[in-house]
Amino acid sequence: MTTSTTHIPPIRSQVRDAITRAWERAIAAGSLPALPSDAEPVEVEVARPSHPEHGDLSTNLAMKLARPYRRSPLAIAGVLAEELALSGPGEEGGPLIAEAVAAAPGFVNVRLTDGALERSIDAILAAPQAWGRVTTQRPERVDVEFVSANPTGPLHIGNARGAFVGDLLCRVLEAGGHTVTREYYFNDFGGQIRQLGSSVAAHRAGTPPPEDGYRGAYVADLAAAMPEEVWQSASGLGADREWIVGTWASEEVRAGIEASLARLGVRFDRWTTEGSIHRDAWVDRAIGRLNEGGHLYEADGALWFRSTAFGDDKDRVVRRSNGELTYFGSDIGYLVEKFSRGFDRLIYVWGADHHGTVARLRNAAVAMGFDRDAVEVMLIAWVRFVRDGREISMSKRSGEFITLDELLEEIGVDAARWFFASRGHTSGIDFDIELAKKQSSENPVYYVQYAHARIASIVRKAREAGLSAASSVAGGLAGAPEAALAREVVRLPEVVEDAVAAGETQGVTAFATDLATAFHAFYRDARVVDSDEPERSRRRLALAEATRITLANALGLLGISAPDSM
RNA sequence: GUCCCCGUAGCUCAGUGGACAGAGCAGCCGCCUUCUAAGCGGCCGGUCGCAGGUUCGAAUCCUGCCGGGGACGCCA
């Protein structure tokens, strides 16, 4: 596939640059003073006004300058607007700003030229793959660890949010120019594996299940699926039965988890076991590094990390008095192992119940000589699953839980992805399965997909009529329906920029909804396929195609399909 | 008791320093001989939990309180 790597700069940054230059010119011309050297630097901010009559973009620069300049914001805005109106061609060749006006209490409102919009639309058509990818001044190698559920049972719906949010974060980082490794970490040697082994073995042997064992239906399935030779070797004289069965069963479960995640559209680059971190001496290295810095001490037979020296409220045990590592002990080894792979940043996507362990992890990172800010933890609030007003337990041991696969059957991947992509990760959510099922048919995701399918249908109709899209929309955005749609289409790069900065996708779903609305209005007001007006028709087709690409790329960023028909 | 998150329309949620606070769903009224009605137009709906404070400007930042959830282990 030949794809251009051309990046189209967001119009918002073009305008920001133009305002910065206008400000500098005003200073050079003496119509505005230079910023006092002791004043705090003022950043030029450009935002979309909430009311269309205020123009396409606006800046609050004059209001921020009012205090250091000791002049009225409106007067400063007047100078900036005047200087902006005199702006020469933008960097992309051709005038950018059609009109700049000062407005109370001190905004400068900017209206874009049709030419600026046309250049952006043409660039989409020339390089559809690149549209919506943004450049970063400092691309990073980022490791994102998420899900990381131990393979003692299938993923349940409680794991869904972390899986989607982690994957969405990865997609956003990639769209922002970063290189991402998706990583899954799990325990392959602890007591949980033995517990699973004894549960499965009891089923196979027909003896009562152990107390505190796993009880879900999957345990019976595993017992039935276990090959005879595994069972034979586990049942041999002196054989470590629960270990042999547990090891076999957990790998079986892990493979099932991988398959479930694949159905969600989530794939991992790397599966790391706690055992390998231990075996490959990463924990020893971590302990060595901490020891060198004098951050460890022994007490009551256990090995402690002096986390309080970094502001934690208590010190933390690395190795228990029985010689076994704590979870935290493995974690610091894993931290060293991750950094050894050359990452600039490690992101952990954890359930909010782990918030108490964040401080010790970052403290240990600092103690071992890493940058505190290079270790980030994204805490995902819980989803409370409810059916008919009753909360559903998520315990694998009780056996009463809904698997991820069952959830997908009920509401579908695209609707589930949209659900989590459109909400922040910090607030707790009540997820009523029956309500979700009922609402899935009227989920906004279908509204957006429908707009995409509608355009695809128009393109097919056009082809039948012998019409093809123009390669440029130049001169074609003068009509009101065209201009309104184009103004929405060109926003994608800035939406992605904001998503990258926030690590969140709510802005993308909101934008996709707005763009779908804009297209449906265009569809109502402007006939695209019209053999009597072939040139206008060809330009409208080009604009429709640019809209389709934008919808597809926005949905693609969220891992949601963009169907050609519905 | 200490710490973290949340509280915005009937419901589910966006908006986290800017201009008259938004969307979807629910409710009510209208629109299919014309490129997909999974659509379009209109109406209804808000003390942004409460009280102070900072600011030219606060849903957004700070403090306190109220309400909901979570965490405080040599568990994972």
Side-chain angles (χ1 to χ4, degrees):
Chain A
M1 195 185 339
T2 58
T3 61
S4 168
T5 53
T6 314
H7 288 274
I8 302 121
I11 283 188
R12 187 176 60 184
S13 356
Q14 296 179 38
V15 170
R16 184 167 44 227
D17 292 346
I19 291 169
T20 306
R21 287 196 300 270
W23 180 22
E24 287 163 357
R25 279 201 308 275
I27 292 171
S31 44
L32 285 179
L35 209 56
S37 54
D38 58 340
E40 287 189 24
V42 173
E43 191 194 343
V44 178
E45 280 180 80
V46 176
R48 295 270 164 185
S50 41
H51 301 280
E53 62 271 26
H54 293 138
D56 294 315
L57 290 162
S58 76
T59 182
N60 59 1
L61 180 62
M63 287 182 282
K64 293 167 83 172
L65 290 175
R67 180 185 287 274
Y69 280 180
R70 299 154 61 97
R71 284 169 70 167
S72 97
L74 200 55
I76 300 169
V79 173
L80 288 172
E82 204 172 312
E83 197 62 58
L84 264 178
L86 300 173
S87 286
E91 278 174 15
E92 306 308 307
L96 176 67
I97 293 167
E99 186 189 36
V101 296
F107 291 100
V108 177
N109 294 329
V110 166
R111 194 169 293 282
L112 298 166
T113 60
D114 286 349
L117 297 170
E118 287 164 6
R119 286 192 296 278
S120 273
I121 301 290
D122 287 355
I124 300 170
L125 299 168
Q129 310 280 338
W131 178 240
R133 298 195 172 273
V134 298
T135 51
T136 171
Q137 304 85 328
R138 213 162 52 85
E140 294 178 314
R141 293 192 57 200
V142 186
D143 180 85
V144 180
E145 183 207 314
F146 60 113
V147 186
S148 296
N150 280 336
T152 54
L155 292 181
H156 53 72
I157 49 182
N159 302 117
R161 192 174 192 179
F164 283 125
V165 169
D167 180 67
L168 287 162
L169 171 66
C170 291
R171 288 168 185 270
V172 159
L173 289 170
E174 285 167 341
H178 302 292
T179 305
V180 176
T181 295
R182 291 167 168 79
E183 186 143 346
Y184 190 119
Y185 176 63
F186 65 101
N187 180 317
D188 60 335
F189 68 77
Q192 290 185 50
I193 303 296
R194 290 188 172 275
Q195 196 80 268
L196 176 67
S198 61
S199 302
V200 172
H203 241 281
R204 179 70 169 238
T207 55
E211 245 178 81
D212 279 351
Y214 296 100
R215 287 165 209 279
Y218 70 95
V219 174
D221 295 342
L222 284 168
M226 182 166 39
E228 189 58 29
E229 55 272 27
V230 174
W231 183 234
Q232 284 300 327
S233 73
S235 309
L237 204 64
D240 189 345
R241 189 166 89 160
E242 62 183 26
W243 177 248
I244 292 172
V245 173
T247 303
W248 172 84
S250 72
E251 173 48 28
E252 204 65 12
V253 169
R254 193 210 59 80
I257 286 174
E258 188 167 12
S260 293
L261 289 166
R263 282 189 279 276
L264 299 190
V266 181
R267 49 131 199 107
F268 282 87
D269 300 302
R270 190 180 165 107
W271 299 71
T272 305
T273 64
E274 193 174 345
S276 74
I277 296 301
H278 200 181
R279 247 187 335 272
D280 298 340
W282 291 106
V283 178
D284 296 340
R285 280 182 207 123
I287 289 174
R289 285 176 86 133
L290 288 174
N291 211 20
E292 278 169 38
H295 302 297
L296 297 176
Y297 65 92
E298 294 205 28
D300 306 325
L303 185 65
W304 296 72
F305 167 56
R306 207 182 304 278
S307 196
T308 48
F310 300 88
D312 203 350
D313 54 355
K314 50 187 83 155
D315 289 339
R316 306 294 174 176
V317 172
V318 174
R319 195 171 50 219
R320 288 184 262 165
S321 50
N322 67 4
E324 281 178 36
L325 289 170
T326 59
Y327 180 83
F328 173 60
S330 299
D331 249 11
I332 58 174
Y334 190 22
L335 186 82
V336 172
E337 191 275 337
K338 280 179 175 172
F339 274 122
S340 79
R341 281 185 268 146
F343 293 112
D344 302 304
R345 204 145 56 108
L346 309 181
I347 302 180
Y348 294 78
V349 179
W350 283 348
D353 56 336
H354 283 68
H355 98 86
T357 63
V358 175
R360 75 192 67 162
L361 181 74
R362 301 184 86 195
N363 289 348
V366 173
M368 292 189 290
F370 301 112
D371 180 5
R372 177 179 214 93
D373 294 333
V375 179
E376 282 177 41
V377 180
M378 195 168 178
L379 295 173
I380 310 295
W382 279 143
V383 183
R384 226 172 119 256
F385 286 89
V386 173
R387 194 191 283 278
D388 303 325
R390 201 171 64 89
E391 184 172 359
I392 300 163
S393 155
M394 282 306 133
S395 161
K396 280 176 202 165
R397 299 191 193 219
S398 76
E400 183 218 18
F401 63 90
I402 296 177
T403 65
L404 206 44
D405 290 341
E406 287 163 350
L407 176 74
L408 288 190
E409 266 172 47
E410 298 207 52
I411 72 166
V413 186
D414 286 343
R417 269 191 178 270
W418 184 276
F419 181 87
F420 290 109
S422 60
R423 287 157 169 79
H425 67 270
T426 51
S427 38
I429 294 178
D430 272 10
F431 194 117
D432 188 311
I433 308 276
E434 294 309 318
L435 207 61
K437 251 165 75 178
K438 219 168 59 190
Q439 284 179 350
S440 68
S441 57
E442 49 229 14
N443 191 303
V445 70
Y446 298 118
Y447 176 79
V448 175
Q449 290 181 321
Y450 182 70
H452 183 272
R454 225 178 194 185
I455 299 173
S457 168
I458 290 172
V459 171
R460 285 192 297 270
K461 270 284 189 322
R463 200 178 301 129
E464 287 167 20
L467 288 164
S468 60
S471 59
S472 169
V473 294
L477 299 186
E482 286 89 345
L485 177 56
R487 283 188 150 77
E488 206 60 39
V489 170
V490 300
R491 284 177 52 203
L492 180 66
E494 62 201 60
V495 167
V496 175
E497 237 176 33
D498 292 345
V500 175
E504 300 256 32
T505 50
Q506 300 95 288
V508 181
T509 55
F511 167 71
T513 308
D514 288 347
L515 180 55
T517 298
F519 181 77
H520 289 310
F522 175 76
Y523 177 88
R524 180 193 65 221
D525 296 332
R527 172 105 199 159
V528 176
V529 180
D530 182 359
S531 301
D532 295 338
E533 293 272 5
E535 278 318 301
R536 192 182 66 184
S537 203
R538 279 164 41 74
R539 282 196 299 260
R540 282 183 173 171
L541 263 174
L543 177 59
E545 178 61 11
T547 307
R548 193 196 59 74
I549 291 163
T550 306
L551 287 169
N553 289 4
L555 289 172
L557 174 55
L558 305 174
I560 295 172
S561 66
D564 286 335
S565 67
M566 286 175 77

